[in-house]
Amino acid sequence: MPVSKRLGGAAFAALVVAAIPVGAQVTGDAAFSQVEKGRDLAVLGDCAACHTAPGLPPFAGGVVLQTPFGNLVAPNITPDIETGVGRLSLQDFQSVMSKGIGKGGYHLYGAMPFTAYTKVSAQDNAAIWAYLQTLEPVKNKIEPNQLPFPFNIRASLIGWNLLNFTQGEFKPDPKQSPDWNRGAYIVEGLGHCGTCHTPKNLIGGDKNSQFLEGATLQGWFAPNITADPHKGIGAWSEDEIVQYLKTGANRFDIASGPMAEVVEKSSQHWSEADLKAVAVYLKAGRNGEAKAPAPLPAGDKLMAAGQAVFADRCMGCHVATGAGVPKLFPRLAQAPLVNSDDPTTLIRVVLAGSRAGTTRAASTGPAMPSFAWNLSDQDVAAVLTYVRNSWGNAAPAVSAKDVASLRTSLQP
Amino acid sequence: MRSSEVAQPNRRQFLSSTAIALLLGSTGRGLGETIAGSPPWKPFDASPPQTLGSGTWYFLTPDEVRTVGAITERLIPADELSISGKDAGCVEFIDRQLAGSYGSSERLYMKGPFQPGTPEQGDQFPLDPRQRYRLGLASLQAHCRETYQKAFADLPPEQRDQVLTQLQTGAITLKDVDAKAFFALVLQNTMEGFFADPIYGGNKEMVSWRMLGFPGARYDYRDYIDKHNQKLDLPPLSIAGRSEWRVKD
């Protein structure tokens, strides 16, 4: 019996596959390519990161975003009339993307990165909208606004927008190459890289003067991805940036945590041209020009303790010189994340362990084990201080107090 | 008659056990799991060794602690090479092992039939280590009170050595346990305590590893592969780390 059921399922699947080209011919090639373009753009912008929750149908919403002000839940963007975006028109969608204003005139919270999406062209929005129309409508009611008073009052966002939002489509810079302009369009617009990588002000707006200089959110530090040679990715070549985004790993680093999801769901599927464009743009960006700080002296007591912990617990994979093993064990020497002022991700990875993203090109997904059971707060502080001040690295010491507080928040 | 005592399944037993196996095989959904993509991974996932904290006794009574201390002090006496087995924490180690799965033979088949096996077959005792210690120590105590009118722990070292030698050779008989087997068990556990990782209670400050020059629980020697005929003098490393990890004031 089960065998015949399975055969039936396969036959059904074959029918569905066969039905797609037929439907496309009915609505015309232009509409088909518009939908396909929208599908690619939805991947480029990684809409699924927030609008597809694990275990729920695609784009049915439900991912909870923890902000410093409270929780926001990404809405259902399938064309369901009651619980999705079935009542919205293309104009409504355009207003969401470019102005952050929903149907009926209410203001969206900045968790929906309209401050970046405002740069997306109207043509691209139309394609994304055409694609969203083809999704299966899913009934899944979501209350996006779960913020406490007074943040739950949307009118407060009028003031927020005045301070934090500049509306307007991306304007190419004629002095720059087409690649640079395409890269800028992706990074500043649909790719919304700054949502994680740009530091936030007290009310959660982007500090645009520090664009892509690294920020902490949801217990992770998204590192500096400017061309800064010490804290950023200035040492990475264009090809190495492409390799990282396409495969999740290059000779410097391996994507893990939220970036692993970005690579898995989004950037591994980008076109070669888009990957190249983003690399060109990031490489040509500001490089901070801040002078690298001096490392702690090797005779430091914390450094000596950290060196012992490193030799006994880390060296087996990350090797004595901090060089790691390309594509398998991340390099610690001259790594942007290691040299960041904020050690949140480093502490987290040592305590909880971490899993590399898996892509079609790099499917192994090597994992770092958890050391929370074996290393005390002081041990973690010492070993990270050592790592952050060896092999050309230089960054502030990590305190046992920082480790203790992250340990409590991650494992209450 | 003899042959029926040996565990040869008869036809009926064979058929019923086969039926049970078939039944389990057909109804169970199986413990197997299909993994697609990369293997599962969870943050904070670890299987640290199970250990019991210091400062208290988990199985041995105060009197037993004294007796086991007096034994381990003689099996591994303090000398120019190291401190004694007792001072190295062998009593703590034995206490914690008896309190755990080893003490209750949790991982052994303990339903019998029990019959003397060959040496290669290992322990064939119906008693688990907890029972063997409890009865063995009480019997030893009874023997010493009867013979010397003193507790074992109150005997002078030479006399203790004498009693232990008699146990080892089977020159004396204990009431409830086999004397030779009891001696062998305590000797085995004492050595384990002296040489095991300090997290299990013995080998205090890795004293036996320092004595031997054993570098401990290390797993990566790639940096030393090319260092032929050189004394490396690696300090020993416990699962819990080593003193160099501590920040020196």
Side-chain angles (χ1 to χ4, degrees):
Chain A
M1 269 314 277
V3 175
S4 68
K5 261 187 196 160
R6 219 173 294 144
L7 275 176
F12 177 71
L15 268 177
V16 172
V17 171
I20 293 170
V22 174
Q25 269 166 6
V26 170
T27 52
D29 284 347
F32 179 72
S33 60
Q34 176 79 337
V35 168
E36 284 308 296
K37 182 183 172 192
R39 184 200 303 275
D40 288 347
L41 289 166
V43 169
L44 186 64
D46 201 6
C47 309
C50 292
H51 292 285
T52 301
L56 288 177
F59 302 106
V63 174
V64 179
L65 297 159
Q66 301 157 349
T67 78
F69 311 101
N71 286 352
L72 288 161
V73 186
N76 178 352
I77 55 168
T78 67
D80 185 62
I81 300 283
E82 285 166 41
T83 65
V85 294
R87 286 182 206 281
L88 267 64
S89 65
L90 171 59
Q91 284 67 37
D92 295 331
F93 179 64
Q94 173 66 26
S95 154
V96 165
M97 292 290 278
S98 76
K99 298 182 194 153
I101 292 177
K103 187 179 171 68
Y106 71 88
H107 286 264
L108 272 72
Y109 287 95
M112 166 69 178
F114 63 86
T115 50
Y117 291 168
T118 189
K119 302 205 174 193
V120 179
S121 70
Q123 295 95 304
D124 281 355
N125 282 334
I128 296 170
W129 184 245
Y131 167 62
L132 292 179
Q133 299 311 298
T134 68
L135 297 173
E136 182 78 24
V138 177
K139 223 167 242 359
N140 183 32
K141 185 152 178 57
I142 288 189
E143 176 45 62
N145 184 356
Q146 300 186 0
L147 296 176
F149 183 81
F151 304 120
N152 59 346
I153 302 172
R154 286 187 185 266
S156 64
L157 292 167
I158 298 168
W160 192 91
N161 282 353
L162 279 174
L163 294 168
N164 296 302
F165 179 43
T166 316
Q167 193 196 325
E169 225 176 89
F170 178 77
K171 296 273 179 299
D173 181 346
K175 294 196 290 287
Q176 300 282 359
S177 68
D179 267 352
W180 186 96
N181 276 305
R182 175 67 183 164
Y185 177 71
I186 294 170
V187 171
E188 297 173 13
L190 201 52
H192 66 287
C193 307
T195 304
C196 293
H197 288 281
T198 299
K200 303 287 174 275
N201 59 30
L202 279 178
I203 54 170
D206 284 356
K207 290 183 182 168
N208 285 323
S209 62
Q210 296 170 39
F211 186 60
L212 302 182
E213 286 184 12
T216 308
L217 72 163
Q218 303 198 0
W220 290 92
F221 180 73
N224 184 322
I225 53 168
T226 68
D228 182 310
H230 185 67
K231 293 179 189 171
I233 53 174
W236 299 17
S237 70
E238 281 172 15
D239 285 347
E240 284 160 350
I241 297 173
V242 168
Q243 194 184 25
Y244 179 88
L245 293 170
K246 176 131 196 94
T247 70
N250 63 15
R251 74 185 175 97
F252 293 97
D253 205 359
I254 301 181
S256 76
M259 192 62 198
E261 288 178 39
V262 172
V263 173
E264 285 171 357
K265 291 182 177 165
S266 180
S267 69
Q268 70 161 323
H269 305 291
W270 295 1
S271 71
E272 289 294 333
D274 281 352
L275 290 165
K276 176 88 194 314
V278 165
V280 166
Y281 171 75
L282 290 177
K283 278 295 285 181
R286 295 166 309 114
N287 64 23
E289 288 176 46
K291 259 188 72 189
L296 292 176
D300 185 271
K301 286 169 192 154
L302 200 57
M303 290 286 283
Q307 185 172 19
V309 178
F310 184 84
D312 299 341
R313 290 291 176 265
C314 316
M315 213 169 77
C317 294
H318 295 285
V319 314
T321 58
V325 174
K327 298 181 188 176
L328 198 54
F329 305 125
R331 183 186 171 89
L332 302 176
Q334 295 121 46
L337 198 54
V338 174
N339 284 304
S340 302
D341 291 335
D342 186 323
T344 303
T345 295
L346 301 175
I347 299 172
R348 181 187 189 122
V349 164
V350 172
L351 288 177
S354 186
R355 177 63 173 280
T358 54
T359 57
R360 240 185 306 176
S363 55
T364 307
M368 160 136 168
S370 160
F371 284 92
W373 67 273
N374 190 235
L375 298 180
S376 70
D377 295 337
Q378 184 62 56
D379 294 340
V380 176
V383 75
L384 288 178
T385 301
Y386 172 74
V387 166
R388 280 156 70 80
N389 291 281
S390 303
W391 324 297
N393 293 340
V398 176
S399 79
K401 230 175 79 192
D402 291 343
V403 181
S405 78
L406 195 64
R407 194 192 285 263
T408 320
S409 73
L410 291 175
Q411 215 182 17
Chain B
M1 259 333 263
R2 255 331 269 154
S3 67
S4 69
E5 282 172 20
V6 182
Q8 289 277 2
N10 61 28
R11 187 168 171 275
R12 178 172 298 178
Q13 284 169 334
F14 176 77
L15 286 176
S16 60
S17 67
T18 310
I20 289 169
L22 284 174
L23 190 70
L24 289 174
S26 58
T27 55
R29 305 249 323 154
L31 299 169
E33 193 182 337
T34 307
I35 295 167
S38 50
W41 181 88
K42 287 200 305 272
F44 289 100
D45 197 16
S47 39
Q50 301 298 310
T51 56
L52 294 168
S54 59
T56 181
W57 299 102
Y58 295 90
F59 174 76
L60 298 173
T61 65
D63 189 49
E64 288 169 341
V65 167
R66 229 164 75 80
T67 312
V68 176
I71 297 173
T72 55
E73 195 173 36
R74 294 316 302 160
L75 292 177
I76 303 175
D79 57 16
E80 68 281 4
L81 292 174
S82 77
I83 53 175
S84 73
K86 179 188 166 190
D87 291 340
C90 290
V91 191
E92 283 83 352
F93 172 86
I94 290 171
D95 175 64
R96 282 145 186 73
Q97 290 304 308
L98 291 176
S101 60
Y102 169 78
S104 58
S105 291
E106 196 180 300
R107 296 165 70 180
L108 297 181
Y109 179 79
M110 289 296 284
K111 292 220 181 342
F114 298 99
Q115 50 198 352
T118 64
E120 292 77 23
Q121 288 170 325
D123 279 359
Q124 296 293 325
F125 297 106
L127 302 178
D128 65 30
R130 280 181 204 165
Q131 295 165 314
R132 288 161 69 191
Y133 266 87
R134 190 125 287 162
L135 295 172
L137 291 170
S139 300
L140 175 66
Q141 203 67 294
H143 168 81
C144 291
R145 291 206 185 277
E146 202 172 292
T147 316
Y148 308 102
Q149 290 76 49
K150 273 185 180 168
F152 177 83
D154 294 328
L155 297 177
E158 304 73 36
Q159 218 156 23
R160 276 187 269 159
D161 288 357
Q162 200 186 332
V163 174
L164 290 172
T165 309
Q166 288 169 338
L167 286 177
Q168 185 175 24
T169 56
I172 52 174
T173 324
L174 294 181
K175 192 161 119 308
D176 292 318
V177 294
D178 178 90
K180 279 172 84 167
F182 177 65
F183 177 85
L185 178 72
V186 180
L187 175 63
Q188 173 70 25
N189 293 157
T190 303
M191 290 192 292
E192 287 164 356
F194 194 66
F195 292 111
D197 195 287
I199 60 166
Y200 300 107
N203 193 6
K204 193 174 169 190
E205 286 161 15
M206 300 181 272
V207 59
S208 67
W209 294 357
R210 282 180 214 284
M211 178 181 82
L212 297 173
F214 174 61
R218 294 170 183 270
Y219 61 96
D220 180 25
Y221 291 94
R222 281 172 301 177
D223 285 350
Y224 306 103
I225 289 172
D226 294 329
K227 299 190 175 175
H228 300 293
N229 302 319
Q230 290 179 39
K231 200 156 166 38
L232 297 176
D233 285 326
L234 291 175
L237 171 65
S238 159
I239 292 169
R242 54 186 166 110
S243 61
E244 288 80 359
W245 287 15
R246 307 288 96 82
V247 179
K248 308 278 183 302
D249 291 320

